[in-house]
Amino acid sequence: MSADNKHIASVFDRDLEAIQALIMKMGGLVEANIKDAAQALEERDVELAEKVRDSDRVIDELEEEVNEEAARLIALRSPTAGDLRTVLTVMKISTNLERCGDYAKNLAKRTGVLVNMRPIEGSATSIRRMAREVEEMLRLALDAYLQRDADLANQVRHRDLDVDQMYNALFREFLTYMMEDPRNITACMHLHFIAKNIERMGDHATSIAEQVIYLVTGDMPGDPRPKGDVTSQDALDMEED
Amino acid sequence: MSADNKHIASVFDRDLEAIQALIMKMGGLVEANIKDAAQALEERDVELAEKVRDSDRVIDELEEEVNEEAARLIALRSPTAGDLRTVLTVMKISTNLERCGDYAKNLAKRTGVLVNMRPIEGSATSIRRMAREVEEMLRLALDAYLQRDADLANQVRHRDLDVDQMYNALFREFLTYMMEDPRNITACMHLHFIAKNIERMGDHATSIAEQVIYLVTGDMPGDPRPKGDVTSQDALDMEED
């Protein structure tokens, strides 16, 4: 490598690191918002829910910054195949994180509504457990990206099965509460949406993990993607994809 | 412009046109799948629903192709600011279209479940009307992209209000059916998911429109984004973001 090339490479790396730092900041905020939103729901803490909604704006701004900086990096440094793929991956990861942030915000918003309804026993605790699992998946997926660790990324993919199963169990529970007493219907609809949104966050963490695998191995972990939901023709099945 | 530069520019344009052709093909398939999925639901046509599920694979493959080709175009041609923005926009549009395809597939999947339940009067017709509106929005958003027409893109953004209102009306209707008779609950949960997913397709069409506006004007149509849902603290409100 000529001295000139080396210089160019290190400038690229420095710029990329700056963008990665933004991604990690986004990741930290999203994880905190998931945690806080689930806690706000469990403790019926409207103030904490409000804090999550405010903090989501910062996440949105960070996503825009990542997109701008990544586009600038591509335009200025004309990265070649491998480096370009990394920058495009970073852009996709920021989109996944921003979506997770939106779901956490939505959870917080519904908390503001649910505090005015009678509680559905045990639901908030189950939801908090599910949120903790997803938060952990996101953390590991971002670690896998930083360390270019395809094995770790694969673990994240497989943990998504647990989240799917938690979702299925919750859905059946909500259905039972609704059938038992129509006065539970509205609250259960909100709780069901919350559970579904957390399950979607798990899908986004999985998507990050899959991009890491693609970045490291050059192969997209294709079909069959592990699916926790084995009841896809079941009347109770509510899976999304 | 030197002859050499002109040569480079026209090669870029030719490559970009090839990618845009893929996007338009994706758009056509997604629109057809939305239409077919809604028709399958209304006519309880399981075969047509199955066709939608199969056809979604082609959409997924096209998205991968767009991503690969766009990355290749950036790597080979090192497009400058404006051209680069166009390529990145094309990549985002293909993601939006792929998500719409997933929602149409999910609609088709739920149709397979709903045919085994007693129908909820009038619901499939309302859903089909909503689907038609979203299909039209997608078509216009892609036209706006091709013609770099910010005014048309703005019309798409504002039509999303109608979709939001259709969704809100349907949600209230489903809630009433559920309260009236618990035997309606499972079917209404599926129908509600379908309505929500169509509303999300509208959000994706809006997102395409917003990217067009950004591409043409350099400004992202920021907050306040029009919101059809003015009842965000309402217990009935089920909006997502």
Side-chain angles (χ1 to χ4, degrees), chain A residues 25-36:
Chain A
K25 192 172 167 192
M26 269 185 95
L29 287 174
V30 170
E31 286 160 32
N33 272 9
I34 295 172
K35 185 169 183 283
D36 289 348

Side-chain angles (χ1 to χ4, degrees), chain B residues 164-200:
Chain B
D164 288 351
Q165 272 155 12
M166 286 177 183
Y167 166 73
N168 286 340
L170 267 176
F171 173 67
R172 283 170 169 79
E173 208 180 302
F174 294 146
L175 212 58
T176 310
Y177 276 112
M178 288 161 92
M179 305 255 185
E180 252 171 40
D181 185 345
R183 286 170 300 171
N184 289 330
I185 286 178
T186 309
C188 280
M189 290 289 275
H190 282 288
L191 288 166
H192 176 229
F193 252 121
I194 287 173
K196 186 72 212 172
N197 285 349
I198 297 174
E199 189 263 343
R200 284 223 183 86

Side-chain angles (χ1 to χ4, degrees), chain A residues 68 106 110 214 235 239-240, chain B residues 68 106 110 214 239-240:
Chain A
E68 287 300 322
N106 186 259
R110 287 183 200 281
Y214 183 50
E239 59 153 327
E240 281 302 288
Chain B
E68 287 300 321
N106 186 261
R110 288 183 199 282
Y214 183 52
E239 60 152 325
E240 282 302 287

Side-chain angles (χ1 to χ4, degrees), chain A residues 92, chain B residues 19-27 30 56 58-71 86-102 138 142 145 204 207-208 211:
Chain A
K92 280 186 192 271
Chain B
I19 299 175
Q20 282 177 174
L22 292 174
I23 289 281
M24 293 307 139
K25 193 173 166 191
M26 269 186 95
V30 170
D56 190 56
V58 184
I59 296 169
D60 290 350
E61 282 162 17
L62 279 168
E63 194 216 0
E64 275 187 40
E65 205 179 333
V66 167
N67 275 322
E68 287 300 321
E69 291 300 313
T86 305
V87 183
L88 295 176
T89 300
V90 163
M91 293 177 92
K92 280 186 193 271
I93 291 177
S94 80
T95 304
N96 289 125
L97 289 176
E98 191 269 338
R99 292 299 298 144
C100 288
D102 278 353
L138 265 182
L142 292 176
Y145 168 75
H204 283 283
S207 166
I208 293 175
Q211 283 153 43

Side-chain angles (χ1 to χ4, degrees), chain A residues 12-55:
Chain A
F12 173 84
D13 288 344
R14 197 195 56 201
D15 287 356
L16 181 64
E17 267 168 35
I19 298 175
Q20 283 177 173
L22 292 174
I23 290 282
M24 294 306 138
K25 192 172 167 192
M26 269 185 95
L29 287 174
V30 170
E31 286 160 32
N33 272 9
I34 295 172
K35 185 169 183 283
D36 289 348
Q39 185 180 334
L41 177 69
E42 193 173 22
E43 296 172 2
R44 298 169 91 82
D45 181 341
V46 178
E47 256 177 62
L48 186 58
E50 194 58 51
K51 193 188 134 228
V52 170
R53 294 170 68 170
D54 286 341
S55 157

